[in-house]
């Protein structure tokens, strides 16, 4: 994976020099955390969220566009309508105790694997991962981003 092209595809190519200067390559990208992104100079919360979602999508083998688009069987709506929205928050049970037993890099791998597993399960039910928050995940069902 070309990290600069990946950033350009996300519309965040302004961070390419920081990634290059800090030796962030294709092997390192999947392990980046919000704290790492802050250290790289990604001060915008929106940009961090975009990058974290794209990183999570890398682990599932999908692109960020595929991870955030509506399922192909969803009809396009021209008019506004009311729909049921279900909001769910998932948290990795025991992560605090786990954090005291594991090395930070190992804990990051565990949480990244957890995020990938949750994202796969959510997508299989046509859900949408709205936000990753540490070891928690905010999920919407019945919501289709535009």
């Amino acid at each position: 994976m070309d990290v600069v092209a990946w950033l350009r595809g996300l519309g965040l190519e302004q961070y390419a020099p920081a990634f290059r200067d800090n030796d962030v390559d294709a092997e390192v990208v999947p392990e980046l955390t919000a704290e790492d992104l802050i250290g790289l100079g990604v001060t915008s919360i929106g940009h961090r969220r975009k990058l974290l979602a794209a990183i999570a999508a890398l682990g599932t083998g999908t692109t960020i566009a595929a991870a955030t688009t509506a399922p192909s069987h969803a009809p396009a709506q021209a008019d506004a309508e009311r729909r049921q929205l279900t909001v769910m928050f998932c948290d990795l049970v025991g992560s605090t105790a786990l954090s005291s037993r594991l090395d930070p890099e190992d804990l990051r791998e565990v949480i990244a694997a957890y995020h990938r597993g949750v994202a796969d399960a959510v997508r299989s039910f046509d859900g949408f991962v709205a936000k990753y928050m540490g070891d928690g995940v905010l999920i919407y069902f019945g919501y289709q981003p535009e």
Side-chain angles (χ1 to χ4, degrees):
M1 172 181 84
D2 178 4
V3 175
V4 174
W6 178 72
L7 288 167
R8 188 176 307 114
L10 296 170
L12 300 172
E13 62 272 4
Q14 68 266 33
Y15 300 112
F19 276 60
R20 189 175 29 257
D21 293 345
N22 287 279
D23 302 313
V24 177
D25 58 14
E27 186 178 330
V28 176
V29 168
E31 304 302 322
L32 290 175
T33 65
E35 293 80 20
D36 294 333
L37 295 174
I38 291 169
L40 287 167
V42 183
T43 57
S44 164
I45 292 172
H47 289 177
R48 281 197 306 271
R49 291 293 172 206
K50 238 185 194 182
L51 284 164
L52 289 171
I55 290 166
L58 287 175
T60 63
T62 61
T63 64
I64 187 62
T68 58
T69 57
S72 59
H73 65 277
Q77 295 291 328
D79 298 325
E81 65 178 88
R82 290 182 184 252
R83 285 190 255 166
Q84 172 87 24
L85 175 68
T86 303
V87 179
M88 180 171 83
F89 182 81
C90 290
D91 190 17
L92 182 61
V93 175
S95 64
T96 304
L98 199 58
S99 70
S100 66
R101 292 193 330 245
L102 291 178
D103 192 47
E105 289 82 12
D106 294 336
L107 179 64
R108 181 176 25 187
E109 288 178 24
V110 168
I111 291 176
Y114 166 73
H115 283 169
R116 286 190 297 273
V118 169
D120 288 343
V122 166
R123 258 192 307 283
S124 72
F125 290 100
D126 293 329
F128 175 75
V129 175
K131 185 183 278 192
Y132 295 99
M133 296 174 276
D135 68 333
V137 184
L138 182 64
I139 301 160
Y140 300 150
F141 292 97
Y143 168 80
Q144 299 302 325
E146 294 182 7

